[in-house]
Amino acid sequence: MTRFAIGSAIDEGRVRQGQEDFLLADRELALFAVADGMGGHRGGEIASHLAVETLDRLAKERLDDEPLTSEWLARAVQQANDALVARAADDSSLKGMGTTLCALALVQGDGYKALGVVNVGDSRLYLLKDGELEQITEDHSLVATLERQGRLTRAEAAVHPQRNIVTRALGIDSKVMVDSWEIAPVVGDRYLLCSDGLFNELDDNRIAATLRRLADPDDAARELVRLANEAGGRDNITCVVVDVAEDSGETIVSDGDRILSAVHGPDRVLAEVRESGEHVALALDDTAQRKRLFARKRKDGKEAVEDPEIARVRHRSLMTWRVMVFGMVFVLIIAAAIGTIIYTGTNTYYVGFDGETVAIFQGKPGGVLWIEPQLEERTGLTRGEVPEGLVSEIEAGKEQPDLASAQRYVANIEDQIEARGSAPITPTVPPTTTTTRLAPDGQPTEPSAPTENTPT
Ligand code: MN
């Protein structure tokens, strides 16, 4: 038999007119809840009451053979949502009303007893275990989302001007997502359900210190409310303290530090596992699969996932579309660079020497990286025929944009040679002129010599 010691306190605070928070602390049902309503014209008050009262009524009306399970709790929260949506549809002055709902109950598992937790919105469940305070629920608020994304620190989120904006609440939509957990009840563990009127005034250290200091759960709840008022009391403040006082040993969830976490969607159960800030959601449609989702809570607050199926899903999610796009862009850049090198290395010509013959080559003189120039055609010109002034530029390789230009360049050299006469031009032999006179008998005479001593 699991037994609880309970304490609770609720206060309007020092600023607000009216009470929009509501609580339930039913020892007999072992059902505990906190709701924080919102909406004009008494809308917030009606929303929080309706949500908690629907949960309470459903638990009492439950048939004897219908066990109170985590799934039952999540369905009851859906039904509370339905009740709110129907009420707002009936009364136009209540349009836009909504509420958070955070509840804790002793639930029946498959052969074990556990503490079931359900949560929608930014009210919280804390667990004080061995003197250490841990927030079990995850806030459905704008600042909590920014904090999970690493864009705000917890300290920044705690004082953010928009910290009252919730991202999930009952009464807003016909369907609602419900987070749920199962925790092994361990004697000595102390739970705190509270509205944001508490934790917006007191940080976790002060809440922990108060829960450690006061053994009586009622004293602890009242003291927390008093301290929140002392710190400003800018909102309604609600606290429910639940101590696990006795446990007969029938609890076999685990060794006490295993927590099952799940998200109950409107139609199916989605499991959510958090590790290193990464979220993995997958459909879990049977109990066996869900039981494998048990995760071990470590001291650093992270959950080590033991389920290989989940580990595989998480691993797969690392290969995101960003990685794929990056990879494709990288490959394209490399391909473009290679293409450019091949283009410049081959799509050009030059005139050079192939041995002693003038020739046209495809490519760049000397080549580009691994691309060697290729001999395109030899011409009829030799090194000795090329005008002196052009030898060095042909030696270096006279570049031409295309084959026709290279051929024109060669033709141009041939024209120059033609215009100067067909005699080979050799730089080492200076040109000589010879005059020949014919004698009357037709015999050539000796050329006249400038000197008297001429050979005969
Ligand atoms: Mn509030």
Side-chain angles (χ1 to χ4, degrees), residues 73-396:
L73 269 181
R75 275 201 310 276
V77 175
Q78 295 282 357
Q79 285 174 268
N81 184 63
D82 294 345
L84 262 76
V85 170
R87 183 70 186 274
D90 282 350
D91 186 343
S92 62
S93 75
L94 297 177
K95 198 164 180 288
M97 74 170 176
T99 186
T100 72
L101 182 60
C102 186
L104 174 73
L106 188 65
V107 297
Q108 182 65 51
D110 189 8
Y112 60 86
K113 288 272 189 190
L115 288 170
V117 183
V118 281
N119 184 56
V120 177
D122 68 347
S123 296
R124 286 181 183 172
L125 177 74
Y126 286 97
L127 167 60
L128 185 80
K129 189 182 191 67
D130 304 327
E132 298 271 332
L133 189 72
E134 181 188 1
Q135 185 184 332
I136 299 291
T137 53
E138 189 171 84
D139 299 348
H140 303 137
S141 65
L142 179 68
V143 291
T145 302
L146 294 173
E147 194 186 322
R148 282 192 290 276
Q149 292 170 348
R151 293 160 70 185
L152 287 180
T153 64
R154 188 166 175 95
E156 286 166 347
V159 296
H160 199 278
Q162 289 176 309
R163 65 181 180 274
N164 61 333
I165 295 176
V166 292
T167 51
R168 268 198 238 168
L170 298 190
I172 306 304
D173 203 355
S174 61
K175 303 287 183 191
V176 68
M177 294 282 283
V178 183
D179 287 359
S180 88
W181 293 260
E182 274 183 16
I183 309 170
V186 173
V187 174
D189 283 359
R190 170 170 270 190
Y191 289 91
L192 168 68
L193 288 153
C194 62
S195 62
D196 64 344
L198 178 75
F199 60 77
N200 279 340
E201 301 293 359
L202 303 181
D203 66 21
D204 289 358
N205 289 334
R206 291 199 71 192
I207 293 172
T210 306
L211 289 174
R212 278 195 295 262
R213 183 161 53 86
L214 297 167
D216 182 82
D218 244 331
D219 289 351
R222 284 178 221 271
E223 178 66 359
L224 286 170
V225 168
R226 191 189 69 75
L227 289 171
N229 268 324
E230 199 176 78
R234 280 155 283 205
D235 194 2
N236 302 150
I237 311 150
T238 304
C239 293
V240 177
V241 176
V242 180
D243 289 340
V244 182
E246 187 186 298
D247 188 69
S248 64
E250 64 184 312
T251 301
I252 54 159
V253 168
S254 70
D255 53 4
D257 59 355
R258 283 165 180 246
I259 298 176
L260 182 149
S261 164
V263 181
H264 295 256
D267 306 315
R268 60 182 181 161
V269 178
L270 301 168
E272 202 174 54
V273 177
R274 285 167 294 279
E275 188 174 32
S276 309
E278 191 179 359
H279 279 65
V280 177
L282 66 163
L284 288 175
D285 295 325
D286 71 283
T287 313
Q289 227 181 338
R290 226 172 304 138
K291 281 172 86 175
R292 282 195 288 143
L293 202 85
F294 275 56
R296 181 174 292 272
K297 281 266 177 185
R298 295 203 303 252
K299 274 284 176 226
D300 58 3
K302 288 174 185 163
E303 294 171 12
V305 180
E306 292 155 356
D307 190 320
E309 176 65 26
I310 292 162
R312 195 158 64 240
V313 171
R314 185 179 61 249
H315 188 76
R316 202 160 53 228
S317 71
L318 291 174
M319 189 62 187
T320 59
W321 62 271
R322 279 168 216 265
V323 175
M324 276 154 64
V325 167
F326 180 83
M328 280 161 64
V329 168
F330 186 77
V331 167
L332 284 175
I333 289 169
I334 295 296
I338 291 170
T340 304
I341 290 165
I342 290 172
Y343 184 84
T344 53
T346 59
N347 196 51
T348 182
Y349 293 83
Y350 71 93
V351 178
F353 290 112
D354 176 37
E356 291 301 302
T357 309
V358 174
I360 297 172
F361 296 87
Q362 186 184 35
K364 286 269 187 193
V368 176
L369 295 181
W370 69 95
I371 302 167
E372 293 292 332
Q374 298 295 313
L375 177 67
E376 183 71 25
E377 60 182 51
R378 284 193 177 81
T379 66
L381 284 174
T382 61
R383 190 187 292 265
E385 293 170 319
V386 173
E388 193 190 356
L390 297 176
V391 171
S392 63
E393 77 173 29
I394 292 172
E395 193 76 62

